[in-house]
Amino acid sequence: MIFIFDLQGASYFIRGLCGIRSGACRSERWRIRKLCLRFYCFCGKNVNFVARKILLVMESKLTLYNTLDRRKETFEPINPPHVGMYVCGPTVYGDPHLGHARPAVTFDLLFRYLRSLGYKVRYVRNVTDVGHLEHDADDGEDKISKKARLEQLEPMEVAHYYTERYHRAMDELNVLSPSIEPCASGHIIEQIAMVKEILDNGFAYESNGSVYFDVEKYNRKYSYGRLSGRNLDDILTNTRELDGQGDKRHSCDFALWKKASPEHIMRWPSPWSDGFPGWHMECSAMSTKYLGQRFDIHGGGMDLMFPHHECEIAQSTAALGHDSAKYWIHNNMITINGQKMGKSLGNFITLEELFTGNHKLLTQAYSPMTIRFFILQAHYRSTVDFSNEALQAAEKGLERLMDAYNHLMKLKASDVSTVDVKDLRRKCYDAMNDDLNSPIVIAHLFDAARAINSVKDGKATISAEDLKELQDVFHTFVFDILGIKDEAASGGSNNNEAFGKAMDLLLTIRQQAKANKDWATSDKIRNELTAIGFDIKDTKDGAEWKLSK
């Protein structure tokens, strides 16, 4: 019987056994590693904790809802253990709002989870800084150029300013930075090259210096509308004829390259005219540049499914002969009074306004982690309607979870457990593997929180082994996967630590006063702390404190 008692030892053991098939393909080597771990772990009661944990992760079968096929599918990367993921990022002409937070948190959750499963993820999230015209159409003013004109700035000043604002908001939400964050304006050469490919393949035409995609011709060979489920005849029927669309052969055709009007600030030379790329072109060009002609995941908000993502599929297929992305994943929208929240509709609340409470619809300020928890409490494919009541419920739920974690880290182990925590890890993995079901994970963690509170209150006991397991599961899922930060613990680093020690000292003095039956001093300390905003709770192990809301 072989026993290995640490992660490094397990790693060497697996590598050694996998060496017998060094010429195997990556997917085969991944399968062999799992077989090795099963062999290594089958020793029953004495099973190694680390190896059991690794095996549980490696045997996880992640399923994701593929919008393209309209069903959940087992996630099988093209080139395991590598995963390529492209997500549509912001158009940077205004402050990020709550609607921007949802895709950012959703795909941060996926990014974190894939990495926790051992995948090496290249996550590409673009920044649109040119080509996105008003009303998502092929005519009208560029959104960034319009902002620049109104504020008497250079377009790149506007783009840089709001990109920085977006990054700061994402940091507040604890959204990890992507591996690569390309800008549309930095990839004009690649976009021109792809337009040439589409022209050469016969699926586009030039008209008065602009280049348009020929949707009807493409549809005769491939199928336009298969992502969104739209029929081309219906699209043609419902497409309005707009001013300036006389250059198009058909109303449903879309721009790959637009000739710039004399007043248009952002322009580049091309074989057809001085102009700028169509909005859809940047994602086709940049995703394939950084992830290859075939990659695993393309993500974005459901509002991008048509026309943006539909046009992306058509462009990539026309240029390469096949779609690039294997799985198309879309998060649903945040609504306000049942209507999509968005800049173009003027019904949005910026993240800064949420963090400060400075908006007429807000009754209070909400912390970044409250916003993140609010988003994670709903499945990413369901709509979430904004209300102060929903945010306040999320705030209370997050506080309960963080309180439970803080209690957990102070629990004392007993000889035996009267609480059952052994299945918690598997339940959480099962929920995440079921199309990233974060609300079910949170429900399981709340169940565990009740067990933690029972042990804290002396109504139950927990063994050292179970305590270690519970602490590890909480840290893995609350912090590493769900991406929650303990804002109270991380709020001020050294200052916060000194503040906590000062509070502990005050409560120690109060405890000594109680022991000496000096009730006046004891009550004075408690009452003064309560008056300035602290909750003080006496327990059998001493007093606990936290800042009241």
Side-chain angles (χ1 to χ4, degrees), residues 209-475:
S210 294
V211 180
Y212 293 97
F213 191 89
D214 192 330
V215 172
E216 284 199 0
K217 187 172 182 181
Y218 171 85
N219 192 61
R220 287 197 290 271
K221 183 171 182 180
Y222 301 103
S223 176
Y224 183 79
R226 62 195 180 99
L227 179 70
S228 59
R230 302 191 184 205
N231 179 280
L232 183 57
D233 291 335
D234 293 336
I235 295 171
L236 287 167
T237 301
N238 295 320
T239 302
R240 295 181 297 127
E241 293 290 347
L242 299 174
D243 292 340
Q245 288 195 342
D247 292 341
K248 296 182 180 184
R249 292 178 185 170
H250 311 103
S251 57
C252 60
D253 294 347
F254 57 89
L256 303 178
W257 184 265
K258 283 289 290 181
K259 180 180 179 180
S261 57
E263 68 276 7
H264 200 96
I265 304 170
M266 300 171 80
R267 59 176 68 215
W268 290 264
S270 79
W272 315 288
S273 65
D274 281 2
F276 54 92
W279 171 39
H280 315 302
M281 182 50 63
E282 62 175 284
C283 291
S284 291
M286 294 192 297
S287 62
T288 53
K289 176 181 174 66
Y290 293 109
L291 299 175
Q293 291 191 3
R294 294 184 188 273
F295 58 90
D296 299 296
I297 296 168
H298 195 310
M302 197 170 285
D303 55 323
L304 297 177
M305 194 187 307
F306 187 89
H308 184 51
H309 288 164
E310 198 72 74
C311 294
E312 271 193 68
I313 289 175
Q315 289 170 163
S316 298
T317 304
L320 307 171
H322 56 79
D323 183 14
S324 297
K326 185 176 180 181
Y327 303 92
W328 284 83
I329 300 172
H330 292 90
N331 65 274
N332 215 321
M333 296 175 289
I334 290 183
T335 57
I336 182 163
N337 297 322
Q339 186 182 38
K340 173 198 165 187
M341 181 179 288
K343 275 187 253 186
S344 57
L345 298 171
N347 63 351
F348 63 93
I349 303 173
T350 70
L351 291 172
E352 184 177 21
E353 288 169 339
L354 282 159
F355 300 158
T356 61
N358 186 25
H359 191 281
K360 63 183 179 182
L361 293 176
L362 298 173
T363 58
Q364 65 176 79
Y366 299 98
S367 75
M369 287 304 100
T370 296
I371 303 303
R372 186 177 179 104
F373 195 69
F374 169 68
I375 292 168
L376 291 170
Q377 276 189 309
H379 189 270
Y380 76 90
R381 286 193 290 116
S382 65
T383 55
V384 176
D385 199 53
F386 160 83
S387 70
N388 281 284
E389 292 76 18
L391 283 169
Q392 287 161 6
E395 183 178 60
K396 288 176 182 171
L398 177 61
E399 183 182 0
R400 270 201 301 139
L401 199 61
M402 288 297 97
D403 284 348
Y405 174 74
N406 290 325
H407 293 322
L408 172 63
M409 301 312 291
K410 297 174 185 174
L411 291 183
K412 302 286 193 298
S414 301
D415 293 335
V416 295
S417 287
T418 58
V419 292
D420 184 10
V421 301
K422 286 185 168 52
D423 286 336
L424 178 62
R425 186 185 298 273
R426 184 171 292 280
K427 286 178 180 176
C428 289
Y429 274 117
D430 286 346
M432 284 300 296
N433 288 333
D434 184 17
D435 196 27
L436 306 180
N437 206 327
S438 57
I440 299 299
V441 173
I442 290 169
H444 291 320
L445 292 171
F446 276 136
D447 288 341
R450 282 190 281 275
I452 291 166
N453 289 330
S454 293
V455 175
K456 179 181 87 66
D457 294 338
K459 298 174 183 175
T461 60
I462 188 166
S463 68
E465 182 185 0
D466 285 351
L467 180 58
K468 180 184 176 186
E469 167 70 358
L470 191 52
Q471 288 172 341
D472 190 68
V473 171
F474 253 71
H475 195 279

Side-chain angles (χ1 to χ4, degrees), residues 61 85 121 200 237 342 485 489:
K61 286 287 185 184
M85 180 168 77
V121 186
D200 290 345
T237 301
K485 269 193 312 193

Side-chain angles (χ1 to χ4, degrees), residues 60-79:
S60 294
K61 286 287 185 184
L62 172 62
T63 60
L64 295 170
Y65 185 86
N66 191 350
T67 310
L68 195 62
D69 298 322
R70 289 168 182 74
R71 65 170 184 260
K72 290 182 188 178
E73 296 176 354
T74 300
F75 177 67
E76 294 177 344
I78 296 166
N79 188 27

Side-chain angles (χ1 to χ4, degrees), residues 54-201:
I54 297 168
L55 185 59
L56 181 60
V57 170
M58 290 180 74
E59 290 192 321
S60 294
K61 286 287 185 184
L62 172 62
T63 60
L64 295 170
Y65 185 86
N66 191 350
T67 310
L68 195 62
D69 298 322
R70 289 168 182 74
R71 65 170 184 260
K72 290 182 188 178
E73 296 176 354
T74 300
F75 177 67
E76 294 177 344
I78 296 166
N79 188 27
H82 299 277
V83 172
M85 180 168 77
Y86 185 92
V87 174
C88 291
T91 300
V92 283
Y93 69 101
D95 276 334
H97 56 71
L98 186 56
H100 291 124
R102 188 157 200 202
V105 170
T106 295
F107 291 101
D108 183 62
L109 175 67
L110 178 55
F111 183 34
R112 288 170 177 272
Y113 190 57
L114 288 170
R115 295 205 312 182
S116 78
L117 294 179
Y119 291 113
K120 297 177 179 179
V121 186
R122 179 177 288 177
Y123 174 19
V124 182
R125 185 186 68 205
N126 73 305
V127 172
T128 298
D129 58 356
V130 65
H132 196 166
L133 305 187
E134 292 183 288
H135 314 301
D136 299 345
D138 284 337
D139 288 277
E141 195 169 2
D142 183 290
K143 294 183 178 185
I144 293 169
S145 292
K146 180 179 180 180
K147 186 79 170 180
R149 178 175 56 78
L150 293 173
E151 298 189 6
Q152 296 184 316
L153 297 169
E154 281 291 323
M156 285 298 108
E157 284 185 272
V158 171
H160 177 75
Y161 176 78
Y162 287 112
T163 300
E164 290 293 299
R165 301 272 290 175
Y166 179 80
H167 287 158
R168 284 198 288 272
M170 294 305 104
D171 287 343
E172 290 287 320
L173 291 170
N174 204 27
V175 169
L176 299 175
S177 297
S179 315
I180 303 171
E181 192 173 46
C183 296
S185 63
H187 294 77
I188 301 298
I189 294 171
E190 291 84 356
Q191 293 179 72
I192 289 173
M194 185 167 265
V195 174
K196 287 179 180 176
E197 286 286 333
I198 297 170
L199 276 166
D200 290 345
N201 292 339

Side-chain angles (χ1 to χ4, degrees), residues 491-512:
S493 59
N494 293 336
N495 289 340
N496 210 58
E497 184 179 354
F499 174 77
K501 287 180 179 178
M503 279 298 300
D504 290 340
L505 177 62
L506 270 174
L507 293 181
T508 299
I509 294 170
R510 178 172 175 265
Q511 191 68 24
Q512 290 170 347

